[in-house]
Amino acid sequence: MKILVCISKTPDTTAKIAFKDNNTKFVAEGVQWIINPYDEWYALVRAIELKEKDPATILHLVCVGLPDADPVIRKALALGGDEAIRVNADSQDSYYIAAQIAAVAREGNYDLIFTGKETIDYNGASIGGMVSELLDLPFISLATKFELAGSLATVTREIEGGEQTEQVGLPLVVSCQKGMAEQRIPNMKGIMGARSRPLKVVEPVTADTLTSVVSFELPPAKAGVKLVSADNPAELVRLLHEEAKVF
Amino acid sequence: MSVLVFIDHSAGQIKKSSLEALCYGAALAASTGTTAEGILLGTVSQDLSELGCYGIGKIHQVASDTLNNLDARVFSTVLAEAVRSTGANIIVFSNNLSGKAIAPRLSARLKAGLVSGAIDLPQVANGFTVRKTVFSGKAFANVSIHTEIKIITLNQNAFPLTAGQGTAQVIPLDIKAAAPDVKTVSATQSSGQVPLTEAEIVVSGGRGLKGPENWGMVEELARVLGAATACSRPVADAHWRPHNEHVGQTGIAIAPNLYIAIGISGAIQHLAGVNRSKVIVVINQDPEAPFFKAADYGIVGDAFVVVPKIIEAVKQLKGVA
Ligand SMILES: Cc1cc2nc3c(=O)[nH]c(=O)nc-3n(C[C@H](O)[C@H](O)[C@H](O)COP(=O)(O)OP(=O)(O)OC[C@H]3O[C@@H](n4cnc5c(N)ncnc54)[C@H](O)[C@@H]3O)c2cc1C
Ligand SMILES: Nc1ncnc2c1ncn2[C@@H]1O[C@H](COP(=O)(O)O)[C@@H](O)[C@H]1O
């Protein structure tokens, strides 16, 4: 059993969002970088649990990024995983990133590929689906539970207003969200062990870029809150009805 | 050259988010001087010609029962074939759960640039640029698509749903669907409730409500408003509420017309999932709660006193019991 988990680096959830160079670049100075929460809490931890259940499992991590992604990859290795592969490239285009991950996946012949639901900076929610298509594998998106019996996976995914459980054979690509696993804190043994586990750097394959970001914008500031007295909640209902016209 | 809109459905009903996508597709076609068509895989109970009222001339249908259940691989193969046979060059999905499963696959299959989470019609004067939300709603990006065929997924509740007059021509498409990879074993749907991502009004509770036993008033307010219920992350983590109600950076992102936050402090990770709501109301006993900075209306007060009074006022206004 070989599992590949896709890891991306994102700004800390409390990072200040600002842009420079005529609104074309994110201001990265002073920003704390973390493993994208969906990749860490759900995809990676669930993969580690599968390895704990079946210790023969080989667990690899892949990240498409420049050397500045290494600390985040090491952090992921501290949670678990036998080896990490960094594809030495930087891109905001989902197709380009997916093509890199697909190339790594072909090379490693994985039975299972996990991605997070989406990156919290670019919010594409696209890479898992693209990778599955490039590899011509089945894809289950937005999984909340994952169980494995031999080469048959039982996966629960979100549907509008509920959940649906499905069965599908490996190999398979799954995008993971809340419910898959519980967040873990790396322990000292993991942190020490992560240093000795290989972080392989490979050069990107040739791939096209289908989209590019032209500019960023910040949303207009709110006008400010209109406070209503706690003694008169009916006034709030009147304002919502007559002024905001929301019901 | 035409715009092709994917029409999503479940249990025989077309989803509201797909109707928004149809309106968006029609407006997009009008602005680029082409026509908008729809594509539906599977079967629904509604007469498809009625969808003409959203400005759609033709609805293509691959009426195979096996397509009533989503299988991302099968759907992207069938859709790629449909794109070829209709000659469409812009494909629109709702950025809902099905759109997230299929659009990226179709993008890779057709090597067609994808922008997911669009909130506006594209700018076409100089290239083809689509505005989307990034940084979990804290910013927007204008993304240019370079390829001949373009794919857009439209955020829910980002484009107005307007119906006019008109009838669409329904055209059966004969495309063979491969056997699905995925077998559905069970499905649960919380019945009688509005799905969170489709809801126009959402009533949400946080740790300030002290415990699951106090959610009666949240549900009651949601009921009288015809709203869905949501919660903050610690509330879902403590199992006071089901995890599919958790909104925020690591939960579901929503953009209803009205979001009412009760006993929620307004942490940045919570705001990331709700900041695209059109109107935000905050009820919190702490005047310093950060949520007030992101709110349009607010009451500083004890939720246990204030919320029942709001319920009464809504009941009076709507004349319901
Ligand atoms: C990486 C990361 C991701 C996260 N993702 C999310 C996410 O997706 N969604 C999310 O919600 N959180 C998320 N969080 C957690 C977030 O930081 C906050 O801890 C959380 O949102 C707080 O929840 P709360 O507002 O319900 O509770 P609290 O912060 O405890 O706030 C409770 C509020 O209730 C008020 N209150 C108390 N009693 C009353 C009363 N009687 N009447 C009225 N008001 C009252 C208090 O004044 C207070 O403001 C994330 C955190 C991290 C680090
Ligand atoms: N640069 C990257 N390297 C490796 N995996 C990535 C990268 N970017 C995104 N992913 C994976 O793809 C998922 C979806 O990302 P996105 O489509 O960008 O929202 C993430 O949760 C990651 O698991």
Side-chain angles (χ1 to χ4, degrees), chain A residues 13 121-124 133 136-137 160-161 163 165 167 178 208 210 212 214-215 217 222 226 228 243, chain B residues 15 73 105 109 111 116 131-132 135-136 140 142 144 183 185-186 188-189 237 269 296-298:
Chain A
T13 52
D121 49 359
Y122 191 67
N123 304 127
E133 184 65 34
D136 196 23
L137 295 180
E160 263 95 15
E163 286 190 330
T165 300
Q167 284 185 332
K178 189 175 165 128
D208 286 327
L210 312 184
S212 58
V214 180
S215 61
E217 274 166 57
K222 283 256 175 187
K226 195 177 239 182
V228 174
E243 186 178 88
Chain B
K15 291 181 191 160
R73 177 150 69 167
R105 287 201 76 129
R109 188 170 189 92
K111 239 178 139 179
S116 58
R131 233 158 98 89
K132 67 163 286 180
F135 294 100
S136 307
F140 307 115
N142 297 305
S144 153
K183 192 178 112 207
V185 281
S186 66
T188 53
Q189 196 114 26
D237 283 351
Q269 297 95 352
D296 299 282
Y297 298 94

Side-chain angles (χ1 to χ4, degrees), chain B:
Chain B
M1 292 251 294
S2 60
V3 177
L4 188 65
V5 181
F6 175 74
I7 305 169
D8 190 22
H9 57 97
S10 76
Q13 299 295 316
I14 293 171
K15 291 181 191 160
K16 178 179 157 239
S17 51
S18 283
L19 302 181
E20 292 169 358
L22 285 171
C23 291
Y24 180 88
L28 173 53
S31 74
T32 51
T34 66
T35 53
E37 304 177 357
I39 172 114
L40 185 131
L41 308 192
T43 51
V44 290
S45 39
Q46 187 182 343
D47 178 2
L48 291 178
S49 64
E50 289 167 7
L51 296 176
C53 72
Y54 300 108
I56 305 295
K58 290 178 189 165
I59 306 283
H60 304 272
Q61 183 180 25
V62 186
S64 156
D65 281 343
T66 55
L67 293 171
N68 284 336
N69 223 333
L70 172 67
D71 182 294
R73 177 150 69 167
V74 174
F75 272 50
S76 64
T77 320
V78 172
L79 283 175
E81 201 46 51
V83 169
R84 257 177 237 122
S85 73
T86 58
N89 65 334
I90 303 173
I91 301 118
V92 177
F93 292 84
S94 165
N95 190 27
N96 65 6
L97 300 165
S98 311
K100 282 177 181 157
I102 314 161
R105 287 201 76 129
L106 188 66
S107 162
R109 188 170 189 92
L110 299 175
K111 239 178 139 179
L114 163 69
V115 174
S116 58
I119 50 165
D120 260 334
L121 287 169
Q123 294 293 321
V124 292
N126 186 5
F128 191 98
T129 307
V130 191
R131 233 158 98 89
K132 67 163 286 180
T133 53
V134 286
F135 294 100
S136 307
K138 285 176 251 175
F140 307 115
N142 297 305
V143 183
S144 153
I145 306 183
H146 311 313
T147 50
E148 194 55 42
I149 301 182
K150 299 163 176 73
I151 305 181
I152 300 171
T153 71
L154 172 70
N155 265 351
Q156 283 163 267
N157 222 13
F159 199 78
L161 183 60
T162 42
Q165 301 284 317
T167 337
Q169 185 189 352
V170 182
I171 304 168
L173 266 190
D174 184 24
I175 300 173
K176 288 272 163 303
D181 300 312
V182 174
K183 192 178 112 207
T184 301
V185 281
S186 66
T188 53
Q189 196 114 26
S190 18
S191 59
Q193 278 175 6
V194 190
L196 193 48
T197 48
E198 300 225 327
E200 283 171 13
I201 305 180
V202 173
V203 182
S204 188
R207 207 147 53 177
L209 291 177
K210 312 283 189 295
E213 67 281 4
N214 296 326
W215 244 262
M217 63 182 189
V218 175
E219 288 179 336
E220 175 70 354
L221 180 57
R223 188 184 67 81
V224 295
L225 287 172
T229 50
C231 67
S232 67
R233 178 171 166 225
V235 163
D237 283 351
H239 304 292
W240 295 358
R241 299 295 293 176
H243 67 73
N244 56 10
E245 281 198 4
H246 157 196
V247 292
Q249 184 126 38
T250 48
I252 294 172
I254 53 171
N257 293 338
L258 174 61
Y259 182 74
I260 303 180
I262 306 168
I264 304 176
S265 57
I268 192 161
Q269 297 95 352
H270 184 86
L271 295 180
V274 302
N275 52 13
R276 288 187 297 111
S277 308
K278 297 205 173 80
V279 174
I280 293 178
V281 172
V282 170
I283 297 158
N284 196 306
Q285 68 182 12
D286 174 9
E288 300 295 319
F291 220 146
F292 284 116
K293 289 205 180 67
D296 299 282
Y297 298 94
I299 292 184
V300 179
D302 182 355
F304 296 99
V305 178
V306 170
V307 175
K309 289 189 188 159
I310 294 178
I311 294 170
E312 275 320 303
V314 174
K315 279 184 179 168
Q316 252 185 14
L317 177 83
K318 297 203 161 193
V320 295

